[in-house]
Amino acid sequence: MEKFHVGVVGCTGMVGQRFVTLLENHPWFQLTAIAASGRSAGKTYEEAVAGRWKMSTPIPDSVKDMTVLDIEKDLDAFVSQIDFTFCAVNMKKDEIKALEEKIAKLECPVVSNNSAHRFTPDVPMVVPEINPDHIRVIDTQRQRLGTKTGFIAVKSNCSLQSYVPALHPLREKYGLEKVLVTTYQAISGAGKNFETWPEMVDNVIPYIGGEEEKSEQEPLKMWGDLVDGVIVPTNTPSITSQCLRVPVTDGHMAAVFMTFPEGKKPSIEAIKADWAGYRGRAQELNLPSAPKQFLHYFEDPNYPQTRLQRDLEGGMAISLGRLREDTQYDYKFVGLSHNTLRGAAGGGVLLAELLAAEGYIPHKVK
């Protein structure tokens, strides 16, 4: 197929760097333009990230000499080179909202890693295996923006990937009444490594600003319904959470407790079978970044472990373990996801693949 021409806004940050690496040799997407703030504008990409390249793999040769554009001053030139863009900027929320809408109104679709538009009612917040039907709200959003092809679609918070995928098939089949979750989140979720954040070595910080609210509210939008051109969040299950920062490079882990409606509690064997057999739209379409098996359960109680399972299926699969009965809730289990792959840039690329496959991203650059 003819490749889509793709941009990355916020290309110098950790998630932007991850987008750059994931687009190298992508079968559908070709990175053709990169943009950041005025501090990096005019430099080659190699110069712009000198001393702050955080990926374990080297800068792709195809990007090293690419000139970083100023997303404010060079926006028209940036948009003219691409069919759509990924956005991973580090700005104030209202500034991000304005920038993403400005890009969309230039008839350039935006696939965003940012949280600014996650609760805009006509902006889909999508995990392709969970709520792919929500992309239909783009039709209404385009009417609001006055665009023919431009729109904004976002991915959910990175920590949700460690537990919401496991809850989803169970909620669909049996219903869920209440959920308690504690997440143990890697430092790359803050855009840092141990060199830039030495305070995290041998340390745990019991607070991540805004994270608990996202953990409790975002799943309810993902499980919501498309009504009269907007996404209306559901009110079940009730979710309460705590989020801790732990001394791990990559990988968010979750300890999850769940209760089913009265009379709907499945057996442990049924839950494991539901997890093993679950396939979402990403698997049905055989999207390039989709894991062959979305949910992997490990019988050994020592698994999943962050270092051993975070890269499962290219970091795009979810690892689960320790499913057992609980004294206060029906069951408890542990989940794990790679936060900058499935949780951030990889999830964004997978969402873009879904949008392209479903016809929402047209080719415009020849």
Side-chain angles (χ1 to χ4, degrees), residues 169 270-279 293-297 320:
I271 292 173
K272 290 179 181 178
D274 292 331
W275 284 342
Y278 185 74
R279 287 169 53 84
Q293 183 173 334
F294 186 35
L295 307 172
H296 293 248
Y297 184 80
L320 306 169

Side-chain angles (χ1 to χ4, degrees), residues 31 51 53 55 62 77 98 114 120 123 125 131 148 168 200 218 223 230 236-237 248 280 292 307 325-326 353-354 357:
L31 182 60
W53 181 253
M55 299 295 102
S62 60
N114 303 301
T120 303
V123 171
M125 179 173 63
N131 60 331
K148 293 182 178 179
H168 178 65
M200 276 306 304
E218 287 187 18
W223 286 324
V230 298
T236 57
V248 168
K292 298 302 179 185
R307 287 176 59 184
E325 291 194 336
D326 182 65
E353 291 168 359
L354 173 70

Side-chain angles (χ1 to χ4, degrees), residues 5 17 61 75 96 110 114 124 129 142 154 168 222 352 355:
H5 292 74
Q17 292 177 21
D61 289 336
L75 183 56
I96 295 172
V110 179
N114 303 301
E129 290 92 346
R142 282 173 169 160
V154 301
H168 178 65
M222 290 169 58
L355 292 162

Side-chain angles (χ1 to χ4, degrees), residues 181-203:
V181 59
T182 298
T183 58
Y184 305 87
Q185 302 186 201
I187 63 174
S188 58
K192 298 180 181 180
N193 54 27
F194 288 117
E195 287 72 31
T196 59
W197 202 3
E199 297 89 349
M200 276 306 304
V201 176
D202 193 30
N203 195 20

Side-chain angles (χ1 to χ4, degrees), residues 67-126:
T67 300
V68 179
L69 300 176
D70 187 324
I71 194 55
E72 297 291 342
K73 297 179 180 178
D74 303 323
L75 183 56
D76 288 340
F78 174 73
V79 167
S80 70
Q81 301 176 52
I82 58 178
D83 296 312
F84 75 95
T85 189
F86 294 107
C87 189
V89 294
N90 182 15
M91 299 164 60
K92 294 179 181 177
K93 188 168 289 189
D94 58 344
E95 294 174 347
I96 295 172
K97 277 188 171 185
L99 174 63
E100 291 181 344
E101 288 204 359
K102 190 174 182 180
I103 296 172
K105 287 178 178 178
L106 291 173
E107 299 296 358
C108 180
V110 179
V111 178
S112 178
N113 186 73
N114 303 301
S115 64
H117 274 292
R118 286 183 189 157
F119 280 94
T120 303
D122 61 6
V123 171
M125 179 173 63
V126 174

Side-chain angles (χ1 to χ4, degrees), residues 223-249:
W223 286 324
D225 296 314
L226 186 53
V227 180
D228 296 329
V230 298
I231 298 165
V232 179
T234 183
N235 55 12
T236 57
S238 63
I239 304 173
T240 185
S241 71
Q242 288 200 106
C243 300
L244 288 70
R245 189 73 71 190
V246 296
V248 168
T249 54

